[in-house]
Coordinates of all heavy atoms in Angstrom, one line a residue:
M1483 N -3.9 15.4 7.2 CA -2.5 15.2 6.8 C -2.4 15.3 5.3 O -3.4 15.4 4.6 CB -2.1 13.8 7.2 CG -2.3 13.4 8.7 SD -0.8 13.6 9.6 CE -0.2 11.9 9.5
I1484 N -1.1 15.4 4.9 CA -0.9 15.5 3.4 C 0.0 14.3 3.0 O 1.1 14.1 3.5 CB -0.1 16.8 3.1 CG1 -1.0 18.0 3.5 CG2 0.2 16.9 1.6 CD1 -0.2 19.3 3.6
H1485 N -0.6 13.5 2.1 CA 0.1 12.3 1.6 C 0.3 12.4 0.1 O -0.5 11.9 -0.6 CB -0.7 11.0 1.9 CG -0.9 10.8 3.4 ND1 -2.0 11.3 4.1 CD2 -0.1 10.2 4.3 CE1 -1.9 10.9 5.3 NE2 -0.8 10.3 5.5
Y1486 N 1.4 13.1 -0.4 CA 2.5 13.5 0.4 C 2.9 14.9 -0.1 O 2.6 15.2 -1.2 CB 3.7 12.5 0.2 CG 3.2 11.1 0.5 CD1 2.6 10.3 -0.5 CD2 3.2 10.6 1.8 CE1 2.1 9.0 -0.2 CE2 2.7 9.4 2.1 CZ 2.2 8.6 1.1 OH 1.7 7.4 1.4
P1487 N 3.5 15.8 0.7 CA 3.7 17.1 0.3 C 4.7 17.4 -0.8 O 4.6 18.3 -1.5 CB 4.2 17.8 1.6 CG 4.6 16.7 2.5 CD 3.9 15.5 2.1
I1488 N 5.7 16.5 -0.9 CA 6.8 16.7 -1.9 C 6.8 15.5 -2.8 O 7.0 14.4 -2.4 CB 8.2 17.0 -1.3 CG1 8.1 18.1 -0.3 CG2 9.2 17.2 -2.4 CD1 9.4 18.3 0.6
P1489 N 6.7 15.7 -4.2 CA 6.8 14.5 -5.0 C 8.2 13.9 -5.1 O 9.2 14.7 -4.9 CB 6.4 15.0 -6.4 CG 6.4 16.5 -6.3 CD 6.4 16.9 -4.9
P1490 N 8.3 12.6 -5.3 CA 9.7 12.0 -5.3 C 10.7 12.7 -6.1 O 11.8 13.0 -5.7 CB 9.4 10.6 -5.8 CG 8.0 10.3 -5.4 CD 7.3 11.6 -5.4
H1491 N 10.3 13.1 -7.4 CA 11.3 13.7 -8.3 C 11.7 15.1 -7.8 O 12.6 15.7 -8.4 CB 10.7 13.8 -9.7 CG 9.7 14.8 -10.0 ND1 8.4 14.6 -9.6 CD2 9.7 16.0 -10.5 CE1 7.6 15.6 -9.9 NE2 8.4 16.5 -10.5
K1492 N 11.0 15.7 -6.8 CA 11.4 17.0 -6.3 C 12.2 16.9 -5.0 O 12.5 17.9 -4.3 CB 10.2 17.9 -6.1 CG 9.5 18.3 -7.4 CD 10.4 19.3 -8.1 CE 9.7 19.9 -9.4 NZ 10.6 20.6 -10.3
Q1493 N 12.4 15.7 -4.5 CA 13.1 15.5 -3.2 C 14.6 15.8 -3.4 O 15.2 15.5 -4.5 CB 13.0 14.0 -2.8 CG 11.5 13.6 -2.4 CD 11.0 14.2 -1.1 OE1 11.8 14.9 -0.4 NE2 9.8 14.0 -0.8
K1494 N 15.2 16.3 -2.3 CA 16.7 16.5 -2.3 C 17.5 15.2 -2.7 O 18.5 15.3 -3.4 CB 17.1 17.0 -1.0 CG 17.9 18.2 -1.0 CD 18.5 18.5 0.4 CE 18.3 20.0 0.8 NZ 18.7 20.2 2.2
A1495 N 17.0 14.1 -2.2 CA 17.7 12.9 -2.4 C 17.8 12.5 -3.9 O 18.7 11.7 -4.3 CB 17.0 11.7 -1.6
F1496 N 16.9 13.0 -4.7 CA 16.9 12.7 -6.1 C 17.2 14.0 -6.9 O 16.5 14.4 -7.8 CB 15.5 12.2 -6.5 CG 15.2 10.9 -5.8 CD1 14.0 10.7 -5.3 CD2 16.1 9.8 -5.8 CE1 13.6 9.5 -4.6 CE2 15.8 8.6 -5.2 CZ 14.5 8.5 -4.6
S1497 N 18.3 14.6 -6.6 CA 18.7 15.9 -7.2 C 18.8 15.8 -8.7 O 18.6 16.8 -9.4 CB 19.9 16.5 -6.6 OG 21.0 15.6 -6.6
N1498 N 19.2 14.6 -9.2 CA 19.3 14.4 -10.6 C 17.9 14.4 -11.3 O 17.9 14.4 -12.6 CB 20.1 13.2 -11.0 CG 19.6 12.0 -10.3 OD1 19.0 12.0 -9.2 ND2 19.7 10.8 -10.9
W1499 N 16.9 14.3 -10.6 CA 15.5 14.3 -11.2 C 14.8 15.6 -11.0 O 13.7 15.8 -11.6 CB 14.6 13.2 -10.5 CG 14.9 11.8 -10.8 CD1 15.7 11.3 -11.8 CD2 14.4 10.7 -10.1 NE1 15.7 10.0 -11.8 CE2 14.9 9.5 -10.8 CE3 13.5 10.5 -9.1 CZ2 14.6 8.2 -10.4 CZ3 13.2 9.2 -8.7 CH2 13.7 8.1 -9.3
N1500 N 15.4 16.5 -10.2 CA 14.7 17.7 -9.8 C 14.2 18.6 -11.0 O 13.2 19.3 -11.0 CB 15.5 18.6 -8.9 CG 15.6 18.0 -7.5 OD1 16.4 18.6 -6.6 ND2 15.0 16.9 -7.2
H1501 N 14.9 18.5 -12.2 CA 14.6 19.3 -13.3 C 13.4 18.6 -14.1 O 12.9 19.3 -15.0 CB 15.8 19.4 -14.3 CG 16.2 18.1 -14.9 ND1 16.9 17.1 -14.2 CD2 16.0 17.6 -16.2 CE1 17.1 16.1 -15.0 NE2 16.6 16.4 -16.2
L1502 N 13.1 17.4 -13.9 CA 12.1 16.7 -14.6 C 10.7 17.3 -14.4 O 10.4 17.9 -13.3 CB 12.0 15.2 -14.3 CG 13.3 14.4 -14.6 CD1 13.1 12.9 -14.1 CD2 13.6 14.4 -16.1
L1503 N 9.8 17.2 -15.4 CA 8.5 17.8 -15.3 C 7.4 16.7 -15.3 O 7.3 15.9 -16.2 CB 8.2 18.7 -16.5 CG 9.0 20.0 -16.6 CD1 8.7 20.7 -17.9 CD2 8.7 20.9 -15.4
F1504 N 6.7 16.7 -14.2 CA 5.5 15.8 -14.0 C 4.4 16.7 -13.6 O 4.1 16.7 -12.4 CB 5.8 14.6 -13.1 CG 6.8 13.7 -13.6 CD1 8.2 13.7 -13.2 CD2 6.5 12.7 -14.5 CE1 9.1 12.9 -13.7 CE2 7.4 11.8 -15.0 CZ 8.7 11.9 -14.6
P1505 N 3.7 17.4 -14.5 CA 2.7 18.4 -14.1 C 1.6 17.8 -13.3 O 1.1 18.5 -12.3 CB 2.3 19.0 -15.4 CG 3.0 18.3 -16.5 CD 4.0 17.4 -15.9
I1506 N 1.1 16.7 -13.6 CA -0.1 16.1 -12.9 C 0.3 15.7 -11.5 O -0.3 16.0 -10.5 CB -0.7 14.9 -13.7 CG1 -1.2 15.4 -15.0 CG2 -1.8 14.2 -12.9 CD1 -1.7 14.4 -16.0
T1507 N 1.5 15.0 -11.4 CA 2.0 14.7 -10.1 C 2.2 15.9 -9.2 O 1.8 15.9 -8.1 CB 3.4 14.0 -10.3 OG1 3.1 12.8 -11.0 CG2 4.1 13.7 -9.0
E1508 N 2.8 17.0 -9.8 CA 3.0 18.2 -9.0 C 1.7 18.9 -8.6 O 1.6 19.3 -7.5 CB 3.9 19.2 -9.8 CG 5.4 18.7 -9.9 CD 6.2 19.3 -11.0 OE1 6.1 20.5 -11.3 OE2 7.0 18.5 -11.6
K1509 N 0.7 18.8 -9.5 CA -0.6 19.4 -9.2 C -1.2 18.6 -8.0 O -1.7 19.2 -7.0 CB -1.5 19.4 -10.4 CG -2.8 20.1 -10.2 CD -3.6 20.1 -11.5 CE -5.0 20.6 -11.4 NZ -5.1 22.0 -11.0
I1510 N -1.1 17.3 -8.1 CA -1.6 16.5 -7.0 C -1.0 16.8 -5.7 O -1.6 17.1 -4.7 CB -1.5 15.0 -7.3 CG1 -2.5 14.6 -8.4 CG2 -1.6 14.1 -6.1 CD1 -2.3 13.2 -9.0
H1511 N 0.4 16.8 -5.7 CA 1.1 17.1 -4.4 C 0.8 18.5 -3.9 O 0.8 18.7 -2.7 CB 2.6 16.9 -4.6 CG 3.0 15.4 -4.6 ND1 2.8 14.7 -5.8 CD2 3.5 14.6 -3.7 CE1 3.2 13.4 -5.5 NE2 3.6 13.4 -4.3
N1512 N 0.5 19.4 -4.8 CA 0.2 20.8 -4.3 C -1.3 20.9 -3.7 O -1.5 21.9 -3.0 CB 0.3 21.8 -5.4 CG 1.8 22.1 -5.7 OD1 2.6 22.1 -4.8 ND2 2.1 22.4 -7.0
E1513 N -2.1 20.1 -4.2 CA -3.6 20.3 -3.9 C -4.2 19.3 -2.9 O -5.3 19.5 -2.5 CB -4.4 20.3 -5.2 CG -4.0 21.4 -6.1 CD -4.8 21.5 -7.4 OE1 -5.6 20.6 -7.7 OE2 -4.7 22.5 -8.1

Side-chain angles (χ1 to χ4, degrees):
M1483 303 262 270
I1484 300 164
H1485 299 91
Y1486 305 90
I1488 306 170
H1491 73 282
K1492 292 289 184 194
Q1493 295 285 356
K1494 227 190 227 171
F1496 299 130
S1497 54
N1498 53 329
W1499 286 349
N1500 288 174
H1501 68 285
L1502 297 178
L1503 289 177
F1504 291 98
I1506 296 173
T1507 296
E1508 284 160 41
K1509 188 175 170 63
I1510 287 172
H1511 284 78
N1512 282 331
E1513 296 185 347

